[in-house]
Amino acid sequence: MRMKRLKHLEDRKAACGGWLISGISDVLDFSKAADTKDYIDIKEWFGDDSKPLWLEIGCGKGQFACELARRNPDINIIAVEKNTNVIVQACEKAMELKVDNVRFLKCGAEYLTKFLKPQSVGRIYLNFSCPFPKKSHASHRLTSPTFLKLYKELLNKGAEIHQKTDNKILFEYSIEQLSEFGFTLKNISLDLHNSGFEGNIITEYEQKFVSQGLPIYRLEAYIKG
């Protein structure tokens, strides 16, 4: 079901000002999405490009990104979302909370290497990404080889990927693909909320799934060397 368009969407989008980076591209061919570069000026957007940069891909309404930024004032955080309705609400949340070390990039994940420089990212968060349950749609999963290749280009030495999901099939697929792609896995949890893990930031979807008694799967992945 399509999301209903927000009232006064364009005005609200314009009011997001310095929190919203509009990653606009007319390239629809996935294989050519990042052929031409239009790198974001991190210093211009954050006022300081000396801090580590973290990404959340698929940030929803911004609950996780804003809290992550609040807890980590010495990190620059870019939260990525392709739905205009949703990203505007995320920006509004950051503005309301006065969180100044998070910015929101409107684009699909396939365009990230168009807007971000190689080896510029210290951590990627994948929270409750669409599982694309049909095997024929597996290439769209954010831990498919296509996207892992993209992440490898963006990640700097020692960087990590943190994933959370309620979907067991996606989690098992992610473990398999990350391992085959040369990532080392750590802090794997098959039931995050009963694991004793400290420091978890609960997302909007996570609240819903936990209230239904569903287990949350979590992992961290990195490349040695």
Side-chain angles (χ1 to χ4, degrees):
M1 185 173 68
R2 294 186 64 183
M3 179 179 293
K4 187 177 179 180
R5 180 182 173 89
L6 290 177
K7 290 184 178 180
H8 311 296
L9 178 60
E10 291 306 316
D11 290 340
R12 290 170 69 173
K13 181 181 175 183
C16 292
W19 271 270
L20 179 61
I21 307 168
S22 293
I24 299 173
S25 177
D26 57 3
V27 179
L28 299 179
D29 184 344
F30 186 99
S31 65
K32 298 179 180 179
D35 280 359
T36 57
K37 306 301 181 184
D38 187 16
Y39 291 138
I40 293 168
D41 187 330
I42 299 297
K43 188 171 184 178
E44 177 184 343
W45 278 97
F46 289 94
D48 183 355
D49 59 0
S50 65
K51 297 177 181 178
L53 179 66
W54 293 354
L55 295 184
E56 184 192 7
I57 302 175
C59 70
K61 296 179 182 178
Q63 179 170 307
F64 178 90
C66 287
E67 180 60 17
L68 182 68
R70 189 190 68 79
R71 294 188 189 185
N72 297 276
D74 295 327
I75 305 292
N76 288 332
I77 294 163
I78 291 180
V80 181
E81 175 61 53
K82 61 184 179 181
N83 184 290
T84 305
N85 270 8
V86 176
I87 201 169
V88 164
Q89 293 177 76
C91 290
E92 291 172 341
K93 184 184 293 291
M95 292 162 63
E96 178 185 354
L97 297 174
K98 297 184 169 86
V99 185
D100 62 4
N101 60 320
V102 61
R103 298 292 181 270
F104 296 89
L105 172 60
K106 184 187 179 304
C107 74
E110 62 269 26
Y111 295 98
L112 285 172
T113 53
K114 177 182 182 69
F115 299 113
L116 297 171
K117 293 180 180 180
Q119 300 181 351
S120 63
V121 176
R123 187 175 297 177
I124 291 175
Y125 289 92
L126 303 173
N127 292 318
F128 302 95
S129 310
C130 180
F132 291 100
K134 293 183 180 180
K135 287 186 177 180
S136 60
H137 295 163
S139 62
H140 297 287
R141 296 170 185 168
L142 289 183
T143 48
S144 71
T146 297
F147 288 106
L148 293 182
K149 181 181 178 181
L150 182 153
Y151 304 153
K152 267 194 170 182
E153 181 177 339
L154 291 175
L155 293 171
N156 55 36
K157 186 176 181 180
E160 298 179 344
I161 296 174
H162 292 196
Q163 181 190 34
K164 287 195 293 185
T165 181
D166 66 303
N167 190 285
K168 185 178 180 181
I169 293 175
L170 174 61
F171 193 67
E172 291 174 344
Y173 173 87
S174 299
I175 288 175
E176 179 182 350
Q177 297 302 321
L178 285 161
S179 299
E180 289 184 0
F181 227 75
F183 285 88
T184 298
L185 304 179
K186 64 176 183 177
N187 296 330
I188 298 174
S189 175
L190 303 180
D191 189 358
L192 175 61
H193 288 257
N194 289 306
S195 69
F197 179 82
E198 297 181 357
N200 182 48
I201 298 174
I202 299 178
T203 75
E204 295 97 330
Y205 279 114
E206 190 170 352
Q207 287 176 324
K208 174 184 175 182
F209 297 138
V210 171
S211 70
Q212 295 173 355
L214 298 173
I216 303 300
Y217 305 95
R218 182 183 184 277
L219 62 76
E220 298 173 12
Y222 67 97
I223 297 178
K224 291 182 177 180

